[in-house]
Amino acid sequence: MALFKKNPPAACPKCGKADGWRVLTAEASLDYVNQGSAVNSFSLTGAMGKKSSKLRYHCDSCGYEKAY
């Protein structure tokens, strides 16, 4: 449902810089999911079954990360 979808900001919400605010690659996002699969074998299956996946954004200036 598009009513509850939150768009990422144009700049980092923590430091306000836009030049280092970027989306992480798909490989980095999958590595983040795979870390949980070592503890729970069903976590990767559940994450891959979702139709809408969140993208993780990272700020190179301050190190802040957030999923949108």
Side-chain angles (χ1 to χ4, degrees), residues 27-40 43-45 47-48:
E27 292 84 18
S29 297
L30 282 176
D31 287 342
Y32 181 74
V33 171
N34 286 337
Q35 290 174 355
S37 66
V39 175
N40 184 356
S43 63
L44 180 61
T45 307
M48 295 305 241

Side-chain angles (χ1 to χ4, degrees), residues 9 11-21 58-65:
C12 175
K14 187 175 179 183
C15 67
K17 294 185 179 180
D19 58 345
W21 187 240
H58 176 79
C59 180
D60 291 334
S61 300
C62 66
Y64 179 77
E65 286 190 7

